[in-house]
Amino acid sequence: PQFDAYLKAPFQSRENFFGSLNGNSDKKTILFAPGSPRGADDIKLIICRILKEAKEKNILPENVQFLISNHPQRPNALREFAGDKDFMIVSIGTRIKEIRKYTEISPEDSIQLANMLYYSDVLIWMANSICLDALVFDKPEIVMNFDGFENKPYWSSVRRFHDEDHMRAFLKTGAAKLANSPDQLITYIKEYLENPHVDREGRKKAVLQQLWKIDGKSGE
């Protein structure tokens, strides 16, 4: 039902949205949602460095910028990139330590997330249910399925999260590309930027599997 409201997006103009984040409304935007796995903060930092280096070396085009959505249960300031003109860092949700749920997502947070997805061109995620939110907007998705520059044992790796039953079912639709290395990640970003229609049929299958319908009547 929460996706019913997404059909009303965007809730801000493109100029106002990026202006509120000190971003550039003329650039393509890569949204990175790192997810909540414990011990993955170092990986988040490495991925941001990989993205930054790819742009500096002109492997990624000049007209891209990066929007980082920290998971509310794992806020990470990524201070290294604070003030970087290519990076916008957002933390959605309020962390509540007194209760087991830990996090409260307000209506305003949901609106912010909808705008972020609406105005992004490619989504990169890791162990994150944002993959379902992105289906509403038919956004190309890349799963970050490696541990930075380390080769961690399976039970210490982010790979194990994408092997869970519900993740296997989602990935089997072909809705998202699984990036198993930094080179694959950059290659897939370039492919999606050049042609956002790639894997659209897979995303349609995922909508049917996970959401059934996006018609604004789920609450009804």
Side-chain angles (χ1 to χ4, degrees), residues 44-143:
K44 301 176 192 178
L45 186 59
I46 290 169
I47 295 304
C48 289
R49 289 172 179 168
I50 290 170
L51 296 173
K52 177 73 172 177
E53 182 180 7
K55 180 175 178 179
E56 289 178 341
K57 291 184 175 180
N58 296 317
I59 302 171
L60 288 177
E62 171 60 29
N63 68 330
V64 299
Q65 60 188 352
F66 310 106
L67 174 55
I68 314 301
S69 176
N70 281 316
H71 193 282
Q73 291 186 23
R74 292 285 180 274
N76 186 327
L78 293 173
R79 293 182 182 85
E80 179 177 323
F81 294 93
D84 190 309
K85 64 180 179 60
D86 289 326
F87 283 80
M88 300 164 281
I89 301 173
V90 178
S91 294
I92 290 180
T94 302
R95 192 174 184 188
I96 304 173
K97 296 181 180 180
E98 290 76 19
I99 59 175
R100 188 172 182 83
K101 183 170 180 270
Y102 291 121
T103 308
E104 186 64 34
I105 304 296
S106 69
E108 292 76 19
D109 292 327
S110 294
I111 287 172
Q112 176 79 327
L113 180 58
N115 280 333
M116 288 164 59
L117 287 162
Y118 184 90
Y119 286 124
S120 293
D121 297 279
V122 178
L123 169 66
I124 305 168
W125 56 268
M126 174 178 67
N128 199 322
S129 63
I130 198 173
C131 60
L132 304 185
D133 300 71
L135 290 176
V136 178
F137 300 110
D138 189 30
K139 294 297 177 177
E141 303 187 26
I142 303 171
V143 186

Side-chain angles (χ1 to χ4, degrees), residues 10-56:
F11 298 95
Q12 277 180 288
S13 70
R14 185 178 181 89
E15 291 75 15
N16 287 343
F17 172 72
F18 283 109
S20 69
L21 300 176
N22 294 319
N24 188 329
S25 61
D26 294 326
K27 291 186 176 183
K28 290 186 178 293
T29 301
I30 298 166
L31 173 58
F32 175 36
S36 63
R38 291 181 182 275
D41 285 352
D42 58 331
I43 302 174
K44 301 176 192 178
L45 186 59
I46 290 169
I47 295 304
C48 289
R49 289 172 179 168
I50 290 170
L51 296 173
K52 177 73 172 177
E53 182 180 7
K55 180 175 178 179
E56 289 178 341

Side-chain angles (χ1 to χ4, degrees), residues 37-38 145 153-164:
R38 291 181 182 275
N145 199 46
Y154 178 80
W155 290 112
S156 301
S157 171
V158 299
R159 303 192 307 275
R160 73 189 190 278
F161 297 108
H162 306 136
D163 265 349
E164 294 170 345

Side-chain angles (χ1 to χ4, degrees), residues 182-193:
D183 287 344
Q184 276 193 342
L185 175 64
I186 301 304
T187 296
Y188 292 153
I189 290 173
K190 290 173 63 178
E191 182 177 348
Y192 278 142
L193 288 175

